[in-house]
Amino acid sequence: MSSYKNLDSLSRALECARALSNQTLVRPREAAAMLGISRKHLYALANRPDFPERVRISDRVVAWRVSDLEQWIASKSAPQSAQSKGGSNE
């Protein structure tokens, strides 16, 4: 039963993150929900050079810009579509 509560709260977090403006910052929970991953995986991705930079709000608080995350998502999905189309022509 608790897994349903977790899923419901993540769904709400995702809806909230999508409804925000481009300059809005989202905390790790909402950022992970936008990407459909765990917070642990989010922090692993954050260490990669191609992932959007964190915005440090205070010593212990970080966030990401919604627009940066959306651009990153778009950059990851665009090459895959182009590769799959290119592969079918060969």
Side-chain angles (χ1 to χ4, degrees):
M1 188 173 229
S2 65
S3 64
Y4 290 118
K5 287 183 181 180
N6 248 356
L7 183 60
D8 185 43
S9 64
L10 284 177
S11 296
R12 280 186 268 135
L14 179 59
E15 287 175 28
C16 290
R18 286 184 174 156
L20 300 172
S21 73
N22 286 340
Q23 294 303 311
T24 303
L25 299 175
V26 288
R27 299 285 309 277
R29 181 180 184 142
E30 291 83 13
M34 282 181 69
L35 300 172
I37 59 175
S38 68
R39 283 184 279 177
K40 182 178 180 178
H41 191 186
L42 174 68
Y43 284 113
L45 285 174
N47 291 325
R48 292 175 41 178
D50 66 328
F51 196 76
E53 286 190 45
R54 293 174 254 213
V55 176
R56 190 158 296 281
I57 297 171
S58 70
D59 290 341
R60 296 178 56 188
V61 179
V62 296
W64 283 266
R65 286 183 188 86
V66 171
S67 59
D68 291 347
L69 292 173
E70 289 174 339
Q71 287 174 354
W72 184 80
I73 292 167
S75 74
K76 294 300 174 193
S77 60
Q80 291 176 342
S81 299
Q83 286 175 357
S84 65
K85 289 179 184 175
S88 64
N89 290 338
E90 293 179 12

